[in-house]
Amino acid sequence: SFTLKFFHQFKLWILFIPFFLISLNLGGGLAKLPVEIRSIKIVKEMIKTNDLLVPKIDGKPYITKPPFYHWMASFASRLFGSVSWSSIRIPSLIAAFLMLFIVYLWGKELGGEELGYLSVFITFSAYLFIVIARRGAPDMIFSASCFTCLYVFQKIMRNYSNFLFFSFYLLFSIAFLTKAHVIFLVVVLPVLAILTIKKRLRRIFSLDVILMSLFTLL
């Protein structure tokens, strides 16, 4: 069809269209949710005190969520030279782009390049995806890391390699450091279900898996 030929002609450059559209006026307007107000306060305090270990608001610890998103927002703010709505939203924007890229790769592996492109635009057409991609909050980093974690897992199931094995645990760590125990519902349960169906559940009791799991949790 004309649509599929159009996607094929532009290849991966077409992925930059969602990135460009999401980034328009990224720092415009005030925070629409309390989470962004908390985020900008935490990032300002992190940079002011140089304390990356414990997020704080008005000098008081805020430990409801792990600090990975705030680390990324602090890094972006240092690059920008100041803390702003743009600097705290940039990590979500980048995570959204990376997630679209993994959507493309997964779709391509399942049904060719055309399905990869269509998968990207189906994902991008979801209103909530755009909203979260422009929000100064941990959600998009968590979503992207969990999705990529599952993508890497299915590749491990097909063709195991040490690189994929360590990548899985690295992504797991990022997701855990972003929204903590929620990852056990989003990643661990599906992984256990797949291993059970494939009759490979015993693999989780192998020495390398146990050691890497303990190291990751540590």
Side-chain angles (χ1 to χ4, degrees):
S1 69
F2 172 79
T3 304
L4 295 181
K5 289 181 180 178
F6 175 81
F7 287 163
H8 184 71
Q9 181 180 357
F10 282 87
K11 295 188 181 296
L12 278 176
W13 286 105
I14 207 165
L15 293 179
F16 287 92
I17 295 176
F19 181 79
F20 172 74
L21 293 176
I22 295 174
S23 64
L24 289 175
N25 195 30
L26 184 66
L30 299 176
K32 296 181 180 180
L33 292 174
V35 64
E36 282 201 310
I37 298 175
R38 290 196 300 267
S39 294
I40 202 166
K41 287 183 177 180
I42 290 172
V43 172
K44 283 181 177 179
E45 193 131 4
M46 271 190 173
I47 293 178
K48 179 181 177 181
T49 63
N50 285 321
D51 181 5
L52 297 178
L53 185 60
V54 182
K56 296 183 180 68
I57 297 179
D58 299 327
K60 299 178 180 179
Y62 181 81
I63 54 176
T64 303
K65 293 287 188 295
F68 186 82
Y69 159 74
H70 301 111
W71 292 344
M72 296 299 98
S74 296
F75 178 73
S77 297
R78 290 184 187 275
L79 288 179
F80 272 70
S82 64
V83 182
S84 64
W85 294 121
S86 295
S87 69
I88 70 164
R89 290 167 181 164
I90 278 288
S92 296
L93 175 66
I94 295 174
F97 178 75
L98 293 175
M99 183 169 177
L100 289 176
F101 181 63
I102 299 301
V103 167
Y104 164 77
L105 292 179
W106 208 338
K108 180 182 177 182
E109 290 182 12
L110 292 174
E113 279 193 322
E114 291 81 5
L115 181 59
Y117 296 133
L118 286 174
S119 300
V120 167
F121 278 89
I122 289 172
T123 304
F124 179 64
S125 67
Y127 172 73
L128 191 57
F129 178 86
I130 299 175
V131 170
I132 295 177
R134 294 175 55 86
R135 182 178 295 167
D139 303 274
M140 184 52 72
I141 294 179
F142 178 75
S143 299
S145 55
C146 286
F147 184 77
T148 309
C149 205
L150 291 172
Y151 169 71
V152 170
F153 173 74
Q154 64 88 26
K155 292 184 73 66
I156 291 174
M157 293 291 291
R158 293 178 181 177
N159 187 20
Y160 176 89
S161 74
N162 289 331
F163 174 76
L164 292 173
F165 182 71
F166 288 111
S167 296
F168 175 85
Y169 281 100
L170 175 61
L171 291 162
F172 189 95
S173 300
I174 291 173
F176 189 85
L177 285 170
T178 305
K179 294 199 75 171
H181 57 276
V182 183
I183 192 174
F184 290 99
L185 296 175
V186 181
V187 173
V188 175
L189 284 183
V191 165
L192 292 177
I194 292 170
L195 288 174
T196 301
I197 293 171
K198 297 289 186 178
K199 297 181 180 180
R200 296 174 64 179
L201 191 60
R202 290 183 300 175
R203 181 70 175 87
I204 67 173
F205 299 107
S206 60
L207 182 60
D208 58 343
V209 172
I210 292 174
L211 290 177
M212 277 302 298
S213 297
L214 291 175
F215 181 75
T216 301
L217 290 175
L218 178 62

